[in-house]
């Protein structure tokens, strides 16, 4: 059993992740911002902690995650709410979480990022372009840390039922991926700590999730 601290637990991927971790006997600890989110997360199997990613200090954040075996950062503005919101959550929020994990001694850190081809070929807004730039800088910040990190870059997120089969690699063609499958890939990364210091691109595919992740074992 692994105790997993989830930042963004109340989000679309976060809720699926909580449920899948609990089903496999792990102990998800879900950070949520609003009090009304706690009951739903508890029903899915999480221990809940309330906190605002944009307001916590690194020390207070570290106190919340201390004792966990890993941290998963799946919070994000999704390019919505303007540049300030994106900068605060996807940028400074990630940097804060990294600092807190280092203080708390939680070395395993998994980040849900963005596929580089997202939105390419379309007329993008300044907000979206800023979102992509901030996500890349967050990747850079985590990769430069001393943590045991993995960066997961899913393709276009869809709500279709996950097949449990994906395509995962260091560089793969762009495509859709079910949020269920993203959550399953994160569970596989929790259970396969030998997969480390990797940037993994992920779409729906034909390979069982656990097998697809296992193929990426070893430090780059």
């Amino acid at each position: 059993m692994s105790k997993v601290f989830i930042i963004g637990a109340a989000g679309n991927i976060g809720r699926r992740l909580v449920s899948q971790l609990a089903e496999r006997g792990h102990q998800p600890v879900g950070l949520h911002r609003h009090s009304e989110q706690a009951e739903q997360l508890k029903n899915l199997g999480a221990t809940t902690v309330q906190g605002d990613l944009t307001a916590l200090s690194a020390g207070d954040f570290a106190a919340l995650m201390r004792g966990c075996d890993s941290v998963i950062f799946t919070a994000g503005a999704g390019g919505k709410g303007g540049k300030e919101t994106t900068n605060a959550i996807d940028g400074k929020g990630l940097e804060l979480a990294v600092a807190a994990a280092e203080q708390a001694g939680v070395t395993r850190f998994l980040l849900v990022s963005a596929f580089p081809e997202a939105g390419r070929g379309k007329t993008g807004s300044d907000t979206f372009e800023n979102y992509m730039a901030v996500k890349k800088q967050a990747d850079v910040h985590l990769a430069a840390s001393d943590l045991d990190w993995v960066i997961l870059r899913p393709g276009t997120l869809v709500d279709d039922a996950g097949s449990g089969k994906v395509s995962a690699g260091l560089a793969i063609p762009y495509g859709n991926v079910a949020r269920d499958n993203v959550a399953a890939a994160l569970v596989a990364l929790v259970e396969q700590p030998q997969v480390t210091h990797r940037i993994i691109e992920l779409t729906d595919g034909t390979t069982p999730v656990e097998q697809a992740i296992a193929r990426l074992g070893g430090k780059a």
Side-chain angles (χ1 to χ4, degrees), residues 119 122-129:
K122 300 179 180 179
T123 302
S125 66
D126 290 343
T127 299
F128 182 76
E129 291 301 326

Side-chain angles (χ1 to χ4, degrees), residues 83 86-92 129-139:
K83 293 182 180 180
T86 295
N87 295 346
I89 297 175
D90 300 86
K92 292 179 182 178
E129 291 301 326
N130 178 70
Y131 169 76
M132 293 300 293
V134 170
K135 296 300 283 187
K136 177 59 184 290
Q137 185 54 43
D139 292 354

Side-chain angles (χ1 to χ4, degrees), residues 2 4 16 62 92 97 104 130 137 157 169 188 193 204:
S2 185
V4 184
R16 291 167 168 83
K92 292 179 182 178
N130 178 70
Q137 185 54 43
L157 298 168
D204 289 334

Side-chain angles (χ1 to χ4, degrees), residues 145-171:
S145 76
D146 292 327
L147 295 173
D148 173 19
W149 58 266
V150 176
I151 296 166
L152 187 66
R153 292 177 171 173
T156 297
L157 298 168
V158 296
D159 287 328
D160 299 343
S163 65
K165 295 183 178 181
V166 299
S167 175
L170 305 183

